[in-house]
Amino acid sequence: MSMDTVCKPELVARDYKSDIKPVWCPGCGDYSVLSSITKALAELQLPPEDVAVISGIGCSSRIPAYVDCYGFHGVHGRSLPLATGLKVARPDLTVLVASGDGDGFSIGGNHFMHAARRNVDLTYIVMDNRVYGMTKGQPSPTTEPDWDSALAPGGTGISPFRPLVIALAAGANFIARGFAGDPNGTAKLITEAIRHPGFSFVELLSPCITFRPDQKNWKTQVHDAVVDPTDDMGRAARRLMTDDGFNTGVLFTGERAPYQPPVGQATATVSDLEERFAL
Ligand code: SF4
Ligand code: MG
């Protein structure tokens, strides 16, 4: 063991917290998710300069500002293409992507499917509160069809998006669900997701206290998945198709090799391309 290794102080969760104070509503589940992310980074002892957190737009997408590492607060629904570009250019970085149900499954729904298909080594954390919080409470893709609100009286009547099923069908290599009310369990899931190669998807049920106060009941509804993780897509599909939305734990662990194109081996210059595609 070198002297460097001996003298290096162990990093703890607070070392990954920035000095910026979160502006979320008191009681928002996203505080707990932030804490889980910093705990996971400490568990893995990742140097902050080797980590990047990328996001889109929404309450949850504020997270890059609160984590003391590299970060990029992108545009609505586009966190995954940004993160994909970063990871293929800098495969040495650990890249986390933070999103919400509106940002990630509506505006970014197409990117979600293709990021799973490409299987670049990313960890995609979606804070799902089944509502658009930042824009004041519109139904999102995961909102229950009968959720009655001022903006959707009587409910939308539209079947919700099923993110875990879509992730499996599209090719995600790791699928898990956690609950913000269990920050230690959630930190463990994020740790496993980072360790697992390829595209890891973690749905975190993160209550929106302001627009969905009914979600305070989630703590009585969540439960551990009654089965062990599987690497069998058929078994995982049956499990996820009959899922009640509150099973927590690791639900699928795939074995596909991550996609990593060669870096720095382009043979065409910009002027070659201009010449080839000139009209
Ligand atoms: Fe959290 Fe909802 Fe407040 Fe946004 S509006 S900070 S999701 S409680
Ligand atoms: Mg939301």
Side-chain angles (χ1 to χ4, degrees):
M1 196 179 283
S2 72
M3 281 303 289
D4 274 1
T5 312
V6 172
C7 297
K8 214 176 224 176
E10 187 179 345
L11 292 160
V12 295
R14 69 173 172 277
D15 293 324
Y16 296 93
K17 285 203 172 136
S18 78
D19 295 333
I20 300 172
K21 198 171 174 311
V23 294
W24 294 312
C25 310
C28 176
D30 295 353
Y31 285 99
S32 170
V33 176
L34 171 62
S35 166
S36 302
I37 289 173
T38 57
K39 280 182 188 165
L41 295 174
E43 172 66 24
L44 294 165
Q45 288 294 292
L46 291 169
E49 65 273 20
D50 290 347
V51 179
V53 182
I54 311 295
S55 71
I57 296 290
C59 296
S60 53
S61 284
R62 294 181 182 277
I63 272 194
Y66 308 143
V67 183
D68 195 10
C69 64
Y70 287 109
F72 194 103
H73 190 170
V75 292
H76 222 170
R78 312 298 179 217
S79 56
L80 284 169
L82 284 164
T84 300
L86 176 62
K87 182 66 184 179
V88 298
R90 286 286 309 273
D92 54 308
L93 295 180
T94 295
V95 181
L96 310 186
V97 193
S99 188
D101 42 300
D103 181 65
F105 303 145
S106 182
I107 303 96
N110 189 34
H111 294 303
F112 175 43
M113 288 187 290
H114 292 285
R117 178 176 70 86
R118 291 190 183 102
N119 199 32
V120 171
D121 189 16
L122 302 171
T123 298
Y124 188 37
I125 299 164
V126 178
M127 284 148 265
D128 191 349
N129 51 22
R130 305 181 183 172
V131 72
Y132 280 91
M134 182 175 269
T135 50
K136 309 289 180 226
Q138 299 91 340
S140 84
T142 51
T143 301
E144 304 84 339
D146 58 353
W147 180 60
D148 185 36
S149 68
L151 295 174
T156 63
I158 301 172
S159 293
F161 189 77
R162 302 178 71 174
L164 281 69
V165 176
I166 302 285
L168 182 73
N173 216 30
F174 176 100
I175 298 173
R177 181 188 286 125
F179 172 49
D182 173 21
N184 289 333
T186 301
K188 197 162 168 288
L189 289 180
I190 296 172
T191 305
E192 287 185 52
I194 294 172
R195 282 199 177 117
H196 197 86
F199 184 78
S200 296
F201 171 54
V202 185
E203 182 195 54
L204 296 180
L205 300 174
S206 180
C208 174
I209 294 305
T210 299
F211 294 105
R212 298 291 312 257
D214 53 304
Q215 292 174 349
K216 285 181 189 157
N217 288 335
W218 276 358
K219 61 178 178 296
T220 64
Q221 292 172 276
V222 291
H223 52 89
D224 290 341
V226 290
V227 285
D228 292 330
T230 179
D231 61 359
D232 182 308
M233 281 192 77
R235 285 181 61 202
R238 282 192 293 281
R239 179 180 297 175
L240 296 178
M241 289 300 291
T242 55
D243 175 51
D244 65 355
F246 291 100
N247 273 304
T248 58
V250 177
L251 301 167
F252 175 70
T253 51
E255 294 177 356
R256 292 173 65 210
Y259 176 66
Q260 176 57 57
V263 178
Q265 294 185 18
T267 54
T269 64
V270 173
S271 50
D272 290 338
L273 295 172
E274 283 173 349
E275 195 178 318
R276 179 163 177 192
F277 293 103
L279 295 175

